[in-house]
Amino acid sequence: MEQAITDFLCRYELAELFPERVQQFMQIESLSGGERLLSQGNDSEALYLLVEGKLKISMLSPEGKRLILAFKSPFDLVGDIVYVQHCPLINTVEAVTKSRVIRIPYEVLRKEMGDNAAWLEFLLKTITWKFEMKSYAMNFNLLYPVDVRLASYLLSMTPIQPKLDATSLVDIADLIGTSYRHLNRVLLQFQKAG
C-alpha cells in the first residue's frame, strides 16, 4: 500500500511537496459508486487527495433542496476549505464511480506543514482555482437559459456518452439548477428539433 501512495504522489507531481514524515501518515481509501466520503454538517479530521475515480460534491439547503455543486476527477483536493477554516463540512461528498483517495489527517498537516511555504502556496492556488470555477459556473447558471446549460453539459460529456436514466437526470437537473420536470421538457424539445 505504501508503494501505491508513492506512485500516486509521483504521478501527480506531489512527492516533493509532502515530506516523508507526512507521507508515513497517509492512507489509501477505496470507495464504491454511491458510497459517501463526507457528509455536510459533520466534522472532518482529514484532507483527501482524489487520485482515481469521480466524486460528486453537493449540498442540502435548509428547505431540503439538493444542489450539486461539482463533479471532481483526479487530481483534486477534498476538505481543503474545512482544513483552512476549521469548520464543519459545508458539502456532502460521495463517489460516483469506484474511486480512490489518499487520506491525510489534518492534525499531521497542521503540525508538519503549517509553516511550509510550498504547501501553503499549493493550497492557495487550489482554493483560488476552485473559487474561480465556482464563480464561472454561477455566472453561467444565472446568465443562460436551461436549454443552453443542458446543451453545454451534454457537450462537456462528449466523447463520454452520458447515461440518461432517472438518477442521472435528477443529478443533471440539480447540477444545472433546474427541476427534473423542466429538464425533461427541454430534452423533449431537443428530441423534436432533432
Side-chain angles (χ1 to χ4, degrees):
M1 194 64 82
E2 187 176 304
Q3 183 59 41
I5 291 172
T6 304
D7 292 344
F8 282 125
L9 293 177
C10 289
R11 180 186 306 172
Y12 296 110
E13 300 177 2
L14 299 170
E16 292 187 19
L17 181 62
F18 296 105
E20 178 60 38
R21 63 186 183 274
V22 174
Q23 291 184 32
Q24 69 185 359
F25 289 98
M26 294 179 175
Q27 297 175 321
I28 291 185
E29 292 185 13
S30 296
L31 304 162
S32 54
E35 188 175 348
R36 192 171 279 190
L37 177 65
L38 301 166
S39 295
Q40 180 180 339
N42 290 351
D43 289 326
S44 178
E45 297 175 356
L47 179 81
Y48 296 90
L49 311 177
L50 174 60
V51 292
E52 281 183 351
K54 186 175 184 181
L55 300 176
K56 176 171 51 177
I57 314 296
S58 63
M59 68 178 307
L60 198 61
S61 74
E63 298 80 27
K65 176 138 176 72
R66 182 176 71 133
L67 176 65
I68 295 179
L69 301 170
F71 288 97
K72 299 291 183 181
S73 52
F75 168 80
D76 212 333
L77 294 182
V78 176
D80 45 356
I81 294 172
V82 174
Y83 167 74
V84 172
Q85 293 291 326
H86 300 269
C87 64
L89 292 163
I90 55 178
N91 299 317
T92 295
V93 180
E94 65 184 84
V96 176
T97 63
K98 185 177 178 185
S99 302
R100 293 173 82 188
V101 294
I102 297 175
R103 181 184 191 278
I104 312 170
Y106 288 151
E107 180 181 334
V108 172
L109 288 172
R110 287 188 179 103
K111 180 180 177 191
E112 300 293 337
M113 305 287 283
D115 60 354
N116 180 310
W119 162 247
L120 296 174
E121 181 179 356
F122 173 77
L123 201 56
L124 180 64
K125 285 181 180 178
T126 301
I127 292 172
T128 55
W129 178 81
K130 286 181 180 183
F131 177 75
E132 183 180 348
M133 292 298 104
K134 284 186 193 249
S135 295
Y136 173 77
M138 185 179 73
N139 289 337
F140 187 78
N141 281 340
L142 289 172
L143 296 173
Y144 293 97
V146 171
D147 60 339
V148 173
R149 297 191 315 250
L150 176 58
S152 175
Y153 170 80
L154 292 172
L155 286 171
S156 74
M157 295 306 289
T158 55
I160 303 164
Q161 293 298 321
K163 66 175 189 174
L164 297 177
D165 59 19
T167 303
S168 67
L169 288 177
V170 169
D171 283 351
I172 294 168
D174 289 344
L175 179 65
I176 66 172
T178 192
S179 70
Y180 175 80
R181 287 184 184 146
H182 193 186
L183 182 68
N184 277 328
R185 286 191 296 270
V186 173
L187 284 170
L188 285 173
Q189 289 171 356
F190 282 0
Q191 185 179 20
K192 287 177 184 174

